[in-house]
């Protein structure tokens, strides 16, 4: 619940620049504008021969590919080229409603049977089993294990039931109405939602898109007659608009047989309705709108230039797509350079060319989107400055030095991706085939991708890139938007001023000058190496432990899970807990030092210096620990180690970056309290930490206490003695090559041979029963968080019992609050375990709902807690818990980051290291009886916190 300021935190509010104006998941497609012809041969991109593409007699398309990553798994999708655009006036919202009904009973899977069956097989509802609805598509996803032929075959039966056998039972339809209304409440009824509704007609130019937002209309959702949704399903869920996508560790011929056996019975309706394509109307004159809201926390201006586009199908398309990526990266680098300076005219500046909302409007337009943010009084200058950089790009283009940097990065990414060609996750291929079905996007092979990118990188010239960049800023198809707090309305620019800013953004602009110098070495002088003084093998977990001459320990686990990946992390005790009260604000914002670069290189210069290099390594200082984390391809691991060495021996403080971050943070904090969610989060942080001074939300006064010099001194003090650092390194490594690098850069880190520890600051949650209600918000939307917590003996046995209780409670809370009560959309039940400085657990239940339902739903949730406390976990739910754990562990054991985490945590919390992660033995200890005992101990509600966010009375 802690808040540390950083550039990343400040820039995070840019996420709101792209509103979720459709309640659906979107996928990226390559966007290409018909302009600037390329020289060379233009050929149709061939389909990947590794995917079998076919079509049944009824028109259903299928894509099948064998892929062994992850092993014993497959990803199955049912794609429908059907979305909210197909609804008639009385059906608005029923495309999305139909998606929900797929999980509420089909001919072969009555209500609850489907989800229960899959959960017992280790498949999680929401995390694995899921679906989404958009304007043009509805997609169902079903990951399945393949080590059971019977279970795997059931997956295709499930897809076929969704495709053509939904029950549409009247009682289930009525029961689901409340769930979907709560989905609208959970995701909406806030400032972003209200302003988006005002902007929708403008953004979508009063087209059919604006009239068919996937969530639909509440009054229709409440009152539609059953025939409306049944007719929608009958008319549009038809095989000639459907595709089955299957990628995984299986036999392709067998899967093709399963598809034919399960889907050939589907029939298209007689006199089928035509599926129409809808476009956005052009606008010759700019469309302008300013919207405000009392709960909006910050100002945001956006300018959009719409461009016609088409799917990526030819090698010329492919080349243009790559060039757009280059343009985006180079312009982003320029804006980041400006943002690092104290006189930057904006706290956010973004510019990007691509599909608006990640494919919101299919086969219609791509958007060049420019975003800027600052205070209301400086909004116009912020937007003008952001526009100026785009105009500078259009007028003068980029420099060869900038292009060289992005080409190096793309080449490096291309090489690394190709090296992993036999370790690419199945879901990546599924998304390629999904885009092909929905938009006609090409599906080249990995080999074609690799060779084509190499050819394009060699042939793309600066002249070509600059010619393409000039096409992005146009005189027509402009949309200008400002979103702002209502209380600052009088300080905002007028629509006329915005138009003037767009028409004449800095006409006196000059060509860009690249002052970045990246020729110096990362480390001026190579360190004097230390040496390995002891080595031992931990055979049970495949680890080699090295003890270095400076006292540092390094644990190496070679793996073959990835072909070109090494990940690492280190830690030693201390952290921010060692800071005194006087310099606490400076210490907890010590990330300002790690963000400043190293040695002679600012953060921007370092980024360019590392162009084409996969290495990243960053120091961290948390509450109780300090250390390093990062990753690299094996060829670049020396650079990663150099970054660690430089971060210790040549840290850098950037006064410009510090001043800019403080200025920006003050702007952000000044408007923070306008958003009810922020007020609730801040209150929760204070309550959960019992109002301890070191855990109170950051204020404007706290910002004034931050000293760059103090932060720098504290940073240096925490890395002055590295003798107790423990490094864990996992991945594809050659032991004979990596050892000398460890001796050179890790064994040479400075040490002082002192014992170190963190300080227990005495921060504890409140004891007993606590109820706190925050009254904020102008709409009927409440949020509830329930915490059952306490100290505990931090053992693996207790952890396992807590995980079992949490999983069972999650199942029961969903069944009760969503399915039975119909009062919530997606309640969450989570477990948080703290091990240091004292062991403490939190079982948390959280949900949003209508304000009048809070009491009823809290009582229902606590009743489910009481049932588990009395009876323990049911045998059925225990099977679900164990199956889920087993299935997830199968995946985890072949993941570098899992091993990095498990080894690091064992070392931190003094768990026996040289033992394999024996999940079976641990799960065998979890029984109905053991959970009864655990529930009485851990779910007693002696320590209970209830936090509520309620609208103002």
């Amino acid at each position: 619940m802690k808040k540390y300021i950083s550039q990343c935190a400040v820039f995070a509010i840019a996420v709101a620049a792209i509103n979720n104006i459709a309640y659906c998941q979107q996928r990226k497609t390559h966007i290409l504008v018909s302009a600037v012809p390329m020289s060379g041969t233009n050929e149709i991109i061939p389909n990947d021969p590794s995917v079998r593409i076919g079509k049944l007699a009824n028109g259903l398309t299928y894509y099948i590919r064998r892929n062994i990553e992850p092993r014993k798994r497959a990803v199955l999708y049912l794609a429908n080229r059907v979305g909210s655009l197909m609804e008639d006036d009385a059906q608005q919202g029923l495309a999305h409603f139909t998606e929900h009904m797929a999980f509420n009973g089909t001919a072969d899977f009555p209500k609850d049977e489907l989800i229960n069956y899959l959960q017992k097989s280790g498949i999680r509802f929401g995390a694995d089993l899921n679906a989404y609805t958009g304007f043009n598509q509805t997609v169902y996803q079903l990951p399945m294990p393949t080590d059971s032929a019977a279970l795997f075959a059931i997956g295709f039966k499930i897809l076929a039931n969704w495709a053509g056998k939904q029950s549409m039972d009247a009682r289930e339809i009525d029961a689901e109405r409340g769930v979907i209304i709560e989905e609208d409440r959970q995701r909406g009824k806030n400032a972003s939602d209200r302003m988006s509704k005002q902007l929708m007609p403008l953004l979508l130019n009063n087209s059919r898109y604006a009239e068919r937002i996937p969530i639909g209309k509440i009054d229709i959702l409440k009152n539609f007659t059953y025939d409306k949704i049944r007719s929608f399903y009958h008319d549009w869920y038809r095989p000639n608009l459907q595709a089955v996508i299957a990628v995984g560790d299986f036999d392709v011929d067998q899967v093709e047989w399963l598809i034919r056996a399960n889907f050939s019975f589907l029939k298209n309706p007689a006199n089928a309705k035509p599926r129409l394509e809808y476009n956005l109307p052009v606008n010759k004159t700019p469309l302008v709108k300013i919207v405000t809201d009392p709960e909006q926390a910050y100002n945001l201006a956006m300018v959009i230039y719409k461009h016609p586009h088409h799917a990526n199908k030819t090698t010329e398309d492919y080349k243009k797509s790559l060039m757009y990526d280059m343009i985006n990266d180079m312009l982003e680098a320029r804006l980041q350079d400006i943002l690092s300076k104290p006189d930057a005219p904006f706290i956010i500046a973004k510019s990007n060319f691509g599909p608006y909302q990640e494919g919101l409007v299919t086969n219609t337009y791509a958007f060049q989107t420019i975003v800027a943010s600052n205070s209301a009084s400086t909004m116009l200058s912020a937007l003008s400055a952001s526009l100026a950089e785009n105009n500078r790009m259009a007028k003068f283009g980029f420099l060869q030095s900038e292009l060289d940097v992005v080409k190096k990065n793309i080449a490096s990414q291309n090489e690394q991706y190709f090296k992993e060609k036999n370790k690419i996750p199945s879901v990546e291929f599924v998304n390629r085939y999904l885009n092909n079905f929905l938009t006609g996007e090409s599906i080249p092979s990995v080999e074609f991708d690799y060779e084509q990118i190499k050819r394009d990188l060699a042939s793309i010239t600066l002249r070509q890139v600059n010619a393409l960049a000039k096409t992005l800023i146009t005189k027509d198809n402009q949309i200008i938007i400002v979103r702002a707090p209502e209380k600052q309305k009088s300080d905002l620019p007028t629509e006329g001023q915005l138009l003037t800013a767009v028409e004449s953004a800095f006409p006196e602009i000059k060509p860009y000058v690249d002052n970045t110098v990246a020729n110096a070495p990362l480390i001026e002088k190579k360190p004097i190496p230390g040496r390995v003084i002891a080595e031992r093998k931990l055979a049970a977990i495949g680890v080699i432990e090295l003890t270095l001459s400076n006292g540092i320990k390094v644990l190496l686990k070679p793996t073959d899970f990835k072909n070109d990946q090494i990940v690492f992390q280190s830690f030693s005790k201390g952290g921010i807990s060692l800071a005194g009260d006087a310099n606490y604000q400076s210490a907890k914002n010590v990330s300002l030092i790690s963000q400043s670069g190293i040695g002679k290189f600012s953060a921007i210069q370092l980024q360019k210096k590392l162009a084409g290099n996969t290495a990243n390594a960053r120091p961290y200082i948390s509450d109780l620990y300090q250390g390093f984390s990062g990753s690299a391809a094996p060829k670049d691991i020396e650079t990663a180690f150099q970054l660690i060495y430089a971060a210790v021996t040549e840290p850098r403080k950037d006064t410009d970056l510090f001043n800019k971050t403080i200025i920006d943070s003050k702007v952000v904090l000044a408007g923070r309290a306008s958003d009810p969610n922020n007020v609730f989060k801040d209150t929760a942080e204070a309550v959960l930490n019992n109002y301890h001074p070191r855990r109170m939300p950051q204020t404007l006064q706290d910002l004034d206490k931050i000293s760059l010099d103090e932060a720098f001194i504290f940073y240096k003090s925490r890395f002055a003695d590295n003798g107790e650092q423990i490094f864990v390194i996992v991945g594809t490594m050659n032991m004979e090559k990596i050892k000398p690098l460890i001796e050179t850069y890790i064994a040479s880190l400075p040490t002082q041979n002192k014992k170190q520890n963190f300080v227990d600051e005495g921060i504890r949650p409140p004891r007993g029963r606590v109820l706190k209600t925050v009254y904020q918000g102008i709409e009927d939307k409440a949020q509830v968080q329930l915490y059952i917590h306490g100290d505990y003996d931090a053992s693996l046995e207790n952890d396992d019992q807590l995980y079992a209780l949490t999983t069972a409670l999650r199942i029961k809370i969903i069944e009760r609050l969503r399915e039975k009560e119909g009062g919530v959309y997606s309640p969450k039940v989570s477990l948080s375990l703290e091990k240091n400085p004292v062991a403490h657990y939190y079982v948390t239940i959280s949900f949003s709902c209508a304000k009048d339902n809070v009491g009823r739903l809290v009582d229902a949730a606590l009743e489910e807690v009481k049932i588990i406390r009395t009876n323990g976990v049911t045998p059925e739910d225990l099977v679900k818990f164990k199956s889920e754990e087993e299935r997830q562990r199968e995946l985890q054991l072949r993941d570098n980051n899992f091993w990095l985490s498990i080894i690091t945590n064992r070392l931190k919390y003094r768990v026996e290291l040289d033992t394999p992660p024996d999940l079976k033995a641990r799960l065998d200890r979890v029984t109905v009886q053991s959970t009864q005992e655990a529930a009485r101990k851990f779910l007693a509600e002696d320590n209970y916190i209830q936090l509520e966010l309620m609208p103002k009375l």
Side-chain angles (χ1 to χ4, degrees), residues 741-756:
L741 299 177
I742 291 170
E743 290 179 320
T744 300
Y745 300 106
I746 308 301
S748 60
L749 291 175
T751 60
Q752 298 174 356
N753 298 316
K754 295 179 181 178
K755 293 296 293 180
Q756 301 186 71

Side-chain angles (χ1 to χ4, degrees), residues 273-292:
K273 290 184 176 182
R275 186 190 185 281
L276 303 178
E277 297 289 341
Y278 297 94
N279 294 326
L280 287 183
V282 299
N283 55 286
K284 291 298 182 183
T285 58
L287 305 176
V288 188
K289 194 170 184 66
I290 299 170
V291 294
T292 61

Side-chain angles (χ1 to χ4, degrees), residues 503-537:
E503 291 171 359
S504 59
F506 288 76
E508 72 280 6
I509 54 176
K510 298 177 181 179
Y512 177 75
V513 177
D514 187 357
N515 292 317
T516 303
V517 178
N519 294 324
L522 278 178
I523 300 173
E524 289 289 347
K525 187 178 179 181
K526 224 175 186 181
I528 299 173
R531 56 192 176 87
V532 174
I533 60 173
E535 179 175 331
R536 70 175 178 133
K537 292 184 178 180

Side-chain angles (χ1 to χ4, degrees), residues 193-219:
D193 179 56
R194 289 187 293 271
M195 290 189 292
S196 291
K197 287 175 180 175
Q198 295 180 62
L199 292 170
M200 206 69 64
L202 185 84
L203 287 167
L204 302 176
N205 205 2
N206 296 303
S207 65
R208 187 173 178 86
Y209 286 91
E211 300 168 356
R212 291 293 185 271
I213 305 306
I215 196 65
K217 294 185 175 181
I218 297 300
D219 59 335

Side-chain angles (χ1 to χ4, degrees), residues 551-569:
I552 292 176
K553 290 186 181 296
V554 180
L555 284 82
L556 302 158
K557 180 175 176 60
T559 70
D560 61 358
F561 310 146
K562 289 286 187 181
N563 297 328
D564 204 41
Q565 182 191 67
I566 296 175
V567 295
F568 59 85
Q569 185 175 345

Side-chain angles (χ1 to χ4, degrees), residues 261-328:
N262 283 280
F263 291 89
S264 293
F265 77 92
L266 296 175
K267 296 181 180 179
N268 296 297
N271 302 315
K273 290 184 176 182
R275 186 190 185 281
L276 303 178
E277 297 289 341
Y278 297 94
N279 294 326
L280 287 183
V282 299
N283 55 286
K284 291 298 182 183
T285 58
L287 305 176
V288 188
K289 194 170 184 66
I290 299 170
V291 294
T292 61
D293 191 274
E295 294 179 0
Q296 175 72 356
Y298 51 85
N299 301 281
L300 198 72
M302 182 185 300
V303 178
I304 296 169
Y305 302 87
K306 295 187 297 186
H307 296 269
H309 76 79
H310 60 269
N312 187 346
K313 296 181 179 181
T314 70
T315 53
E316 183 176 310
D317 294 338
Y318 202 97
K319 189 172 184 177
K320 285 183 185 176
S321 178
L322 192 62
M323 291 165 64
Y324 285 126
D325 289 341
M326 294 175 176
I327 291 168
N328 285 338

